[in-house]
Amino acid sequence: MTRNFFGRERGAVLVHVAVTMLGLLGFSALVIDFGIMWSSRRQAQNVADAAALAASISMAYDAPGDYDRARATAKRVGESHKVFGLAPTIDLGSGSNADITQDISFPPCPPGLDGPTDTCVRVNVYRNAVKDALPTFMASVIGVFSQGVKATATSQIAEGNQIECLLPFAVIDRWADNYDD
């Protein structure tokens, strides 16, 4: 009696389990590492928003026209917050490349904003391969060991010293309003 080598079913489950484990590993890499990237992206956007707002407030109220102070304020505020547990990179630039490499700049405002066009602050915040890249946990199995995020925020420098319509909002004191003296 001869046994058919290809007719046996022994070990068929092992092949199915191996293929399934490979698929689960791929989905784990997608969910965990992609989730870290999106969570860090949101944190980086919050940092960029806070730094741009700090620079605008510094220019509007503390020292109008002092760009270096506004840059220092934005850098200090941005680096005091965390993106996935570490301070993000905010580069002020140096030397002759300072205008090209700095992450805190004062570009013309985008079209459509009210007010002067030269009163905007742009802040770039990032964590990438240059400094403190985000880690990968599951994708390192396939050779991807780091990932990066970048966020940009633009704010307009303006003083809020007047308003056209302010509605009176108040909590009604029902006990005092129902009695006449």
Side-chain angles (χ1 to χ4, degrees):
M1 178 172 157
T2 62
R3 298 175 103 184
N4 188 353
F5 180 70
F6 295 105
R8 292 186 297 166
E9 294 181 9
R10 186 174 178 190
V13 173
L14 182 63
V15 173
H16 289 286
V17 169
V19 170
T20 304
M21 291 296 285
L22 187 62
L24 287 175
L25 182 66
F27 281 121
S28 297
L30 181 70
V31 170
I32 294 170
D33 295 334
F34 202 61
I36 288 171
M37 191 269 303
W38 276 106
S39 174
S40 298
R41 171 69 176 88
R42 180 72 250 160
Q43 291 171 357
Q45 187 63 54
N46 288 341
V47 170
D49 291 343
L53 181 62
S56 293
I57 290 172
S58 175
M59 289 288 289
Y61 296 109
D62 296 338
D66 191 355
Y67 294 103
D68 291 333
R69 180 182 173 144
R71 282 186 184 101
T73 301
K75 182 174 175 66
R76 186 179 68 249
V77 168
E79 290 180 348
S80 68
H81 294 82
K82 306 280 189 234
V83 175
F84 200 68
L86 292 174
T89 301
I90 300 175
D91 188 13
L92 292 181
S94 62
S96 61
N97 295 353
D99 294 334
I100 299 170
T101 61
Q102 65 187 359
D103 291 325
I104 302 168
S105 59
F106 300 91
C109 291
L113 291 178
D114 295 336
T117 59
D118 60 345
T119 58
C120 282
V121 178
R122 180 177 296 138
V123 178
N124 298 324
V125 172
Y126 56 92
R127 275 196 59 191
N128 59 13
V130 174
K131 180 186 174 197
D132 296 328
L134 293 170
T136 59
F137 295 102
M138 301 303 288
S140 60
V141 173
I142 60 171
V144 178
F145 296 104
S146 65
Q147 56 186 344
V149 294
K150 178 180 179 181
T152 300
T154 303
S155 66
Q156 187 174 14
I157 302 165
E159 293 183 18
N161 59 2
Q162 68 182 28
I163 191 163
E164 293 179 12
C165 177
L166 177 65
L167 298 175
F169 288 105
V171 177
I172 299 172
D173 186 2
R174 298 175 74 171
W175 303 106
D177 291 343
N178 292 329
Y179 296 103
D180 292 325
D181 287 339

